[in-house]
Amino acid sequence: MPMQFKIDVLAALKEKGYNTNRLRTDKLLSEGAIQSLRNHKPISWSSLEKICSMLDCQPGDILVYDNLEG
């Protein structure tokens, strides 16, 4: 998969005070998005936007394009 996470997003969110319980309780991210982050799977654009807002960063701070296959 060419798009990969550069950082551990859940750890970065936790450092900002957003543990998984708070993410769920405050409905900041869906359970599916949290599971995708745990399993290094793709997330939706809306989840990416929310994460960038919570971390005060750009998508390029979180994701990297690495196309070693082609």
Side-chain angles (χ1 to χ4, degrees), residues 57-70:
C57 68
Q58 295 293 314
D61 298 328
I62 297 172
L63 298 171
V64 63
Y65 179 77
D66 187 12
N67 188 11
L68 298 176
E69 298 173 16

Side-chain angles (χ1 to χ4, degrees), residues 8-69:
D8 182 340
V9 176
L10 290 176
L13 287 167
K14 189 173 183 177
E15 286 178 18
K16 293 277 190 171
Y18 298 102
N19 62 29
T20 54
N21 186 49
R22 180 175 176 195
L23 293 172
R24 285 186 197 98
T25 304
D26 294 349
K27 298 185 182 190
L28 299 170
L29 290 176
S30 69
E31 181 63 34
I34 294 168
Q35 288 301 323
S36 291
L37 291 169
R38 278 195 182 117
N39 297 317
H40 307 286
K41 302 277 185 183
I43 57 173
S44 70
W45 285 111
S46 62
S47 293
L48 182 60
E49 288 175 13
K50 290 176 188 176
I51 291 167
C52 287
S53 176
M54 288 184 277
L55 294 178
D56 190 28
C57 68
Q58 295 293 314
D61 298 328
I62 297 172
L63 298 171
V64 63
Y65 179 77
D66 187 12
N67 188 11
L68 298 176
E69 298 173 16

